[in-house]
Amino acid sequence: LAKTTQPISMDSYEGQEVNITCSHNNIATNDYITWYQQFPSQGPRFIIQGYKTKVTNEVASLFIPADRKSSTLSLPRVSLSDTAVYYCLVVRIKAAGNKLTFGGGTRVLVKP
Amino acid sequence: DTAVSQTPKYLVTQMGNDKSIKCEQNLGHDTMYWYKQDSKKFLKIMFSYNNKELIINETVPNRFSPKSPDKAHLNLHINSLELGDSAVYFCASSQVPSGGPPWTGELFFGEGSRLTVL
């Protein structure tokens, strides 16, 4: 599966928009881009997934350019509770046993 | 109701001991996983079971033995614990919708079991 590269950490302030870019140069045709969020002392939680163009849900937006070699997770108007580690993953959806590989993630710290 | 629950949440033990972590999911999913998160926060898959059958077995020492008595439960037994086994162990589950693609392959994680080996 394609390796992902994302910033180690980012600081932001309440009310700002946070954009985290992930590169996945070797993404394959069958791969989807998926983002998870992990709060301290909790398991990761699925945020959003996309294949190309733009996907939006109640939590975030995901922008994927035409070449799919990168993606950007956008968190609108963050609050203190959005402080977490955000993982970008490339996932090849299988009938069973999705072998998700998590990298180091991006630690987002939201300040008051 | 917790979807994926693990017990115990914390486990402190001595080197050489044997310990087990239990996991149960009430989501009706067919597939369950064990992941290990080390001190650097990297999450690595260890095992996966689909309908009680082992389908993913990463390079994990033989001291780690998963058991799935039914598709709602996946337990992890660790023999002869070593210092390097100290980590947070996460259980997860997933399900492929019967209607076929598209599906997200979303994993639902438990809250983790922090194992400390002294």
Side-chain angles (χ1 to χ4, degrees), chain A residues 1-39:
Chain A
L1 287 174
K3 183 181 174 183
T4 59
T5 302
Q6 52 183 123
I8 293 174
S9 63
M10 297 178 76
D11 288 358
S12 183
Y13 291 91
E14 281 190 292
Q16 288 187 336
E17 179 181 81
V18 171
N19 295 306
I20 309 170
T21 297
C22 176
S23 65
H24 26 79
N25 291 319
N26 297 322
I27 192 167
T29 305
N30 295 339
D31 294 338
Y32 286 73
I33 298 141
T34 308
W35 287 79
Y36 278 75
Q37 174 191 54
Q38 186 177 23
F39 296 116

Side-chain angles (χ1 to χ4, degrees), chain B residues 44-61:
Chain B
K44 295 179 182 176
I45 189 167
M46 301 173 69
F47 303 102
S48 177
Y49 273 73
N50 180 252
N51 269 322
K52 301 191 297 177
E53 182 183 342
L54 181 66
I55 55 171
I56 294 175
N57 185 352
E58 291 297 281
T59 307
V60 176

Side-chain angles (χ1 to χ4, degrees), chain B residues 10-57:
Chain B
Y10 299 97
L11 190 52
V12 181
T13 188
Q14 300 286 333
M15 273 175 52
N17 284 349
D18 303 338
K19 291 294 177 186
S20 292
I21 308 171
K22 296 185 176 181
C23 179
E24 176 182 4
Q25 54 95 3
N26 62 7
L27 298 168
H29 289 170
D30 287 335
T31 308
M32 295 184 73
Y33 309 77
W34 278 111
Y35 275 80
K36 178 181 179 181
Q37 187 167 42
D38 59 25
S39 56
K40 295 183 179 178
K41 304 299 182 185
F42 284 94
L43 263 164
K44 295 179 182 176
I45 189 167
M46 301 173 69
F47 303 102
S48 177
Y49 273 73
N50 180 252
N51 269 322
K52 301 191 297 177
E53 182 183 342
L54 181 66
I55 55 171
I56 294 175
N57 185 352

Side-chain angles (χ1 to χ4, degrees), chain A:
Chain A
L1 287 174
K3 183 181 174 183
T4 59
T5 302
Q6 52 183 123
I8 293 174
S9 63
M10 297 178 76
D11 288 358
S12 183
Y13 291 91
E14 281 190 292
Q16 288 187 336
E17 179 181 81
V18 171
N19 295 306
I20 309 170
T21 297
C22 176
S23 65
H24 26 79
N25 291 319
N26 297 322
I27 192 167
T29 305
N30 295 339
D31 294 338
Y32 286 73
I33 298 141
T34 308
W35 287 79
Y36 278 75
Q37 174 191 54
Q38 186 177 23
F39 296 116
S41 302
Q42 292 188 24
R45 182 177 72 110
F46 175 92
I47 302 177
I48 198 167
Q49 183 182 77
Y51 186 79
K52 59 182 177 181
T53 66
K54 178 184 174 182
V55 179
T56 297
N57 62 22
E58 64 278 5
V59 177
S61 293
L62 179 59
F63 299 91
I64 305 168
D67 66 7
R68 305 200 326 124
K69 292 183 183 298
S70 67
S71 59
T72 299
L73 176 74
S74 180
L75 307 171
R77 296 180 300 283
V78 293
S79 63
L80 297 178
S81 63
D82 291 316
T83 292
V85 178
Y86 293 83
Y87 295 94
C88 166
L89 295 87
V90 168
V91 179
R92 191 162 297 163
I93 307 298
K94 294 166 62 176
N98 289 301
K99 191 170 148 180
L100 302 194
T101 301
F102 289 78
T106 298
R107 295 181 176 277
V108 172
L109 174 63
V110 180
K111 303 175 182 177

